[in-house]
Amino acid sequence: MTGHRTGRIGSKGSARRAGAALLATATLAALPVVGAQGLTGPSGATAAERDSATYKSRTAYESRQGPAKSWSWQGGWAASPQAPTEVFTPNWSRQGFENHTVRQVVRVSKGGTKARIELSNRYGTKPLRIVGATIARTAEGAAVEGGSVRKLAFGKGGSVTIPAGGKVYSDGVPFAVKALESLTVTLYLAEPTGPATFHMQSSATSYRAQGDHTADRGGAAFTETSDSWYYLSGVEVSGKGTARRDSVVAFGDSITDGTGSTLDTDNRYPDELAERFAAAGKPRSVLNHGISGNQVTNDTSWAGEKGVVRFKKDVLSEPNVGTVIVLEGINDIGGSGPSYPGGPTPEVSVRQLIDGHRSLIRQAHARGIKVVGATLTPVKGSFYDTPANEAKRDAVNDWIRTSGAYDEVVDLDRAIADPADPDRIAPAYDSGDALHPNDAGYKAMAAAVDLRTL
């Protein structure tokens, strides 16, 4: 390969290592169950009409506030919505839900004194009715900590209907949460939902029960599990110290998504990056907008809209983003081959891929967001390993390192490469497929990022 660097940081940062450590979580102070706040629908309407009116009113309210009002909320956790698919493993996305409670565990990167959730029906074929929702501190598995369950409302209503293609935020609820704390969000879906908007590879366990168990403390009713997230696309926090435009978004494909990391351990590279900020005593919002299999230039039936299109929906819609790290393109390079799941996609030239990256940079700069380019990690020995693909990866990495198009560069290629064979992931960092890092590899990737550049 050409254009290699021996340092861990790219062209504009010096190498720096920092240990990753989890902050101890604090015990929950007793909080009352909080009523809703916000806008309501017509008092004489049916439940569905009130829900729809609430959604429309709240959407209009959010739109009126615009960027100037986004200071009050900051992303604590996020996942990019996807269309229903079962390309890898069975899940609940195609069948959807009916009289089901879904309980989902996420870890926030930054704390606050107030919380709200974002729900997405982006790929729904009909309106989605959420009958009830709660947030709580995670205990073990599907169980939550006693006294921590808080009922969520939507414009003062306990339920909400989200139009097909839409999203909605719950009202904020007083809820003291620490950085790196795990929260459990529970949704009750009484009526048939149809195929569900979801996030396919969560590297986390979600739980399902028959009937309404939103207020359950224990997890006994949740007898089914899935390794995906459903409808939940964000948890936002507010409070003292959150009104800063310093959120970091990690944008990419499966290597950002965390494929190859251990289930239920929060060892994806953006998680490890959040741990570095917390260990330094300066927790930051670090949001993961990776989708396994996603491409910069091609739409796919299972891996989402192409990056140049979904960037606006997934990155630019987040509040108070200051920096985005782009690690994407290896699926564009390898997707035209026979090993790409779901069948080959159109071949992408180096120039087309670079043009795609330039589009992402322009979109971010138009919003005043700094863009960090990450070099594409090794593929030797994987199902993407061909001389033509390696030549393209070399060329794209050389452009990322030397063009000056990105504001900063982090050389993740070099961070996890085998020193004895730089085109291959180091054995200690390989999850086993010569393409995706393991937990140690993701930690090494996060350690390669100079925090001062973000």
Side-chain angles (χ1 to χ4, degrees):
M1 289 178 66
T2 59
H4 289 323
R5 289 173 174 250
T6 57
R8 288 180 176 265
I9 303 299
S11 59
K12 298 183 182 179
S14 60
R16 189 172 75 166
R17 297 183 182 183
L22 290 171
L23 290 184
T25 59
T27 57
L28 174 71
L31 292 173
V33 176
V34 178
Q37 52 184 304
L39 303 172
T40 64
S43 58
T46 65
E49 289 169 339
R50 285 198 303 272
D51 290 345
S52 180
T54 296
Y55 173 82
K56 292 175 182 177
S57 297
R58 186 155 186 83
T59 301
Y61 173 78
E62 296 281 351
S63 176
R64 285 198 303 272
Q65 299 313 295
K69 292 295 184 181
S70 67
W71 63 267
S72 60
W73 291 102
Q74 198 131 25
W77 170 88
S80 293
Q82 292 178 251
T85 183
E86 293 182 343
V87 69
F88 286 127
T89 57
N91 57 64
W92 304 324
S93 66
R94 285 184 172 170
Q95 69 190 62
F97 305 92
E98 180 179 4
N99 192 30
H100 284 125
T101 299
V102 181
R103 183 160 274 187
Q104 306 178 80
V105 178
V106 302
R107 190 181 76 166
V108 295
S109 56
K110 185 171 183 176
T113 58
K114 208 172 186 180
R116 71 177 184 179
I117 64 172
E118 177 188 276
L119 300 175
S120 175
N121 192 26
R122 183 185 296 179
Y123 301 104
T125 57
K126 64 179 185 178
L128 169 69
R129 187 164 186 245
I130 307 294
V131 176
T134 60
I135 190 168
R137 296 190 188 281
T138 306
E140 184 175 353
V144 299
E145 290 187 7
S148 73
V149 179
R150 300 291 174 265
K151 185 176 181 179
L152 295 172
F154 302 85
K156 293 189 178 179
S159 62
V160 67
T161 297
I162 311 172
K167 69 177 181 180
V168 70
Y169 297 92
S170 71
D171 300 331
V173 58
F175 194 82
V177 57
K178 299 290 186 181
L180 306 184
E181 190 162 28
S182 290
L183 304 179
T184 297
V185 175
T186 307
L187 307 175
Y188 178 48
L189 306 156
E191 302 161 7
T193 65
T197 296
F198 83 135
H199 185 87
M200 179 173 57
Q201 294 200 354
S202 63
S203 297
T205 303
S206 296
Y207 305 88
R208 185 166 74 173
Q210 290 285 334
D212 185 357
H213 294 275
T214 50
D216 285 18
R217 174 183 172 185
F222 295 88
T223 57
E224 299 177 89
T225 61
S226 169
D227 296 344
S228 301
W229 287 306
Y230 301 87
Y231 301 120
L232 182 65
S233 54
V235 175
E236 296 183 355
V237 295
S238 182
K240 186 177 180 181
T242 60
R244 298 176 182 174
R245 197 180 179 203
D246 64 356
S247 292
V248 178
V249 175
F251 183 79
D253 49 39
S254 58
I255 299 177
T256 297
D257 212 3
T259 300
S261 64
T262 302
L263 185 70
D264 294 326
T265 60
D266 296 306
N267 283 330
R268 314 163 194 85
Y269 106 76
D271 297 317
E272 298 285 355
L273 187 59
E275 290 177 16
R276 287 191 60 203
F277 280 120
K282 297 179 179 179
R284 292 266 292 273
S285 171
V286 181
L287 305 177
N288 189 331
H289 275 295
I291 295 180
S292 294
N294 195 238
Q295 299 187 26
V296 176
T297 63
N298 285 319
D299 294 330
T300 73
S301 61
W302 62 274
E305 295 170 284
K306 55 191 173 186
V308 293
V309 171
R310 76 177 184 90
F311 192 82
K312 178 180 180 180
K313 301 175 184 178
D314 293 345
V315 176
L316 302 184
S317 65
E318 293 287 356
N320 287 308
V321 175
T323 304
V324 59
I325 304 172
V326 175
L327 171 59
E328 188 158 22
I330 202 62
N331 293 313
D332 299 70
I333 293 171
S336 61
S339 298
Y340 188 71
T345 53
E347 185 171 355
V348 176
S349 69
V350 170
R351 174 50 53 196
Q352 287 173 311
L353 186 50
I354 288 173
D355 287 346
H357 276 255
R358 288 192 183 278
S359 173
L360 298 177
I361 294 168
R362 286 194 299 270
Q363 290 182 61
H365 284 172
R367 295 289 185 89
I369 296 172
K370 176 187 283 190
V371 197
V372 177
T375 51
L376 305 181
T377 51
V379 299
K380 186 175 180 180
S382 76
F383 53 77
Y384 281 169
D385 182 13
T386 70
N389 288 348
E390 186 59 32
K392 286 183 178 180
R393 189 178 76 92
D394 269 349
V396 172
N397 279 350
D398 185 65
W399 174 81
I400 291 172
R401 292 183 179 110
T402 65
S403 68
Y406 279 102
D407 301 311
E408 303 284 348
V409 173
V410 55
D411 205 337
L412 298 184
D413 174 31
R414 296 298 89 225
I416 62 171
D418 184 350
D421 189 357
D423 293 341
R424 184 184 295 272
I425 294 179
Y429 295 153
D430 185 1
S431 67
D433 64 2
L435 179 64
H436 298 99
N438 58 17
D439 293 346
Y442 285 125
K443 186 172 183 178
M445 288 171 60
V449 179
D450 188 337
L451 300 186
R452 295 170 299 183
T453 67
L454 300 181

